[in-house]
Amino acid sequence: MTMDMVNLFAISVGTLAIPLLAFMVSFLLWPSTLIKVYYWYWRRTLGMQVRHADCGAYRFCYSYRGKPGLRPSILMLHGFSAHKDAWLSVVKFLPKHLHILCVDMPGHEGTTRSSADDYSIQGQVQRVHQFVECIKLNKKPFHIVGTSMGGNVAGVYAATYPSDIFGVTLICPSGIKHTSETKFDNQLQDLLNSQHTLSIPLIPNTAEEMEEMLRLCSHVRFKVPQQVLQGLVDVRIPHNDFYQEVFMKIWGESSRFALHEHMHQITSPLQVIWGKQDQVVDVSGARVIAEVLSGCRLDLLDHCGHSVVMERPRKTAKLILDFIISQQSTQNASNKKQC
């Protein structure tokens, strides 16, 4: 082997080793930065574009893909302390021609956060309606999807603004007086009994608490490296005071059962998706909704917890799409009969 070939080989190895070394150092020292890069890359891969909508002094951050077409637009509302990118795993399995919007809920991620804002469920409904009006999403009825806290908001939105809505999908929604207590309910009772000396299970401050939260929310046991757990915590810690404020609002007297109190006003086609092993909001809530709204479609998933979007993204996407198509077919058949 000549000296030139040796030098070329050394340069090639160095070219490969430097980015690999940089990745390893970043993973060990700045895991939170890598998590942000990961979401950026995933959005880019799926064709999701980030935009801002300025409504007076208030700014909404959202991602979207596609344009309004034959199918209704889909507005997706994430859960407590999450963000718009929580839906990427589901978006991956939805057709690219669909018009999909994932908005950061009030005060979360890139959407305006203000101490003067109302973060109760009703307050969030008003903000989401402001966003819808700002981008003129309700020029045609759209399909609204919400999970957990977002499901509570989506259901109350559908009850409050029925003319905006084509259909509703609620995924493990909070806000229902379910008939059985969960592990999370018991933890909240322990929190109250301790006079708030214990931490809220959904607001972790350490990697260990983050791991416990994932176990609480997911029936599937994901093996998450310690550095990733730490990165997830590092991203959240600057916002934990805000999360605590929101939690106290949505778990307060006026919001805790907001969906339960409004669901009889929902007139749009309704789909409820729930993990049978949900330890946060008991699956018995699905039956409670069905007793009030007998025409709703129930999709109860085996071996699945509260984080349906994370645990069963392909199935969730298929169920949502099938429901939208079936409702469009029903409406088209009804229109033909009227003609």
Side-chain angles (χ1 to χ4, degrees):
M1 184 180 293
T2 66
M3 187 58 65
D4 287 342
M5 291 182 67
V6 171
N7 291 339
L8 182 61
F9 178 75
I11 292 170
S12 300
V13 171
T15 303
L16 293 172
I18 289 172
L20 182 61
L21 182 61
F23 173 82
M24 293 301 295
V25 170
S26 298
F27 180 73
L28 292 172
L29 299 180
W30 306 290
S32 60
T33 301
L34 280 184
I35 288 169
K36 292 177 182 178
V37 170
Y38 167 76
Y39 281 125
W40 170 84
Y41 178 76
W42 204 4
R43 283 196 305 268
R44 187 178 178 86
T45 300
L46 295 177
M48 296 291 286
Q49 300 182 58
V50 175
R51 292 289 183 271
H52 294 90
D54 292 314
C55 309
Y58 200 88
R59 167 171 279 199
F60 293 93
C61 182
Y62 67 102
S63 60
Y64 80 97
R65 186 175 75 184
K67 297 179 179 179
L70 296 176
R71 304 286 184 210
S73 300
I74 303 175
L75 175 62
M76 311 184 95
L77 308 181
H78 63 74
F80 169 73
S81 76
H83 46 74
K84 60 187 174 298
D85 294 330
W87 290 106
L88 291 175
S89 57
V90 173
V91 170
K92 176 182 177 181
F93 297 107
L94 289 171
K96 290 189 175 181
H97 66 269
L98 287 180
H99 184 218
I100 300 168
L101 304 97
C102 306
V103 63
D104 283 327
M105 295 294 279
H108 289 70
E109 194 77 6
T111 291
T112 295
R113 180 179 300 175
S114 168
S115 59
D117 227 7
D118 178 7
Y119 293 108
S120 68
I121 295 301
Q122 291 83 350
Q124 293 193 57
V125 167
Q126 296 306 313
R127 280 300 187 191
V128 172
H129 184 61
Q130 182 184 19
F131 169 70
V132 166
E133 296 247 293
C134 185
I135 65 169
K136 297 180 172 57
L137 182 62
N138 54 355
K139 287 175 69 174
K140 288 174 57 179
F142 60 90
H143 190 80
I144 191 167
V145 182
T147 183
S148 196
M149 178 192 77
N152 197 346
V153 174
V156 176
Y157 187 103
T160 308
Y161 301 103
S163 62
D164 283 2
I165 302 300
F166 166 85
V168 188
T169 298
L170 305 180
I171 304 173
C172 303
S174 63
I176 295 294
K177 296 178 182 177
H178 44 80
T179 58
S180 301
E181 289 192 344
T182 64
K183 181 179 179 181
F184 181 62
D185 291 325
N186 295 330
Q187 289 177 335
L188 282 185
Q189 191 57 53
D190 291 341
L191 177 65
L192 292 173
N193 293 339
S194 73
Q195 297 183 330
H196 298 278
T197 57
L198 297 175
S199 60
I200 298 172
L202 299 180
I203 308 179
N205 289 290
T206 65
E208 291 71 26
E209 290 179 356
M210 186 73 211
E211 189 171 25
E212 281 300 311
M213 189 190 82
L214 293 177
R215 286 177 182 169
L216 175 68
C217 294
S218 175
H219 178 71
V220 177
R221 292 293 176 254
F222 297 100
K223 292 184 178 179
V224 184
Q226 188 71 14
Q227 285 301 119
V228 174
L229 289 170
Q230 188 59 55
L232 291 171
V233 171
D234 290 345
V235 169
R236 295 170 63 97
I237 281 178
H239 310 287
N240 276 357
D241 287 344
F242 167 72
Y243 294 152
Q244 181 147 347
E245 177 189 350
V246 174
F247 184 85
M248 299 311 291
K249 280 287 187 180
I250 64 177
W251 223 255
E253 188 175 340
S254 66
S255 289
R256 187 169 185 181
F257 301 118
L259 177 55
H260 196 103
E261 293 160 1
H262 287 81
M263 63 182 172
H264 66 280
Q265 297 174 294
I266 298 176
T267 56
S268 307
L270 174 64
Q271 173 186 41
V272 177
I273 303 174
W274 219 304
K276 289 184 179 181
Q277 284 71 40
D278 194 333
Q279 297 184 92
V280 179
V281 187
D282 192 73
V283 66
S284 61
R287 299 297 177 190
V288 173
I289 296 173
E291 287 175 5
V292 176
L293 300 167
S294 57
C296 83
R297 170 173 164 175
L298 294 186
D299 292 299
L300 307 183
L301 306 183
D302 291 312
H303 312 297
C304 186
H306 188 66
S307 299
V308 171
V309 170
M310 181 173 68
E311 296 178 69
R312 303 289 290 279
R314 184 192 296 270
K315 181 69 173 178
T316 302
K318 184 178 187 306
L319 289 173
I320 294 171
L321 184 59
D322 287 350
F323 181 67
I324 291 174
I325 292 173
S326 68
Q327 293 306 314
Q328 277 196 305
S329 298
T330 301
Q331 288 187 11
N332 291 338
S334 177
N335 292 337
K336 285 181 180 179
K337 284 183 180 180
Q338 292 177 4
C339 293

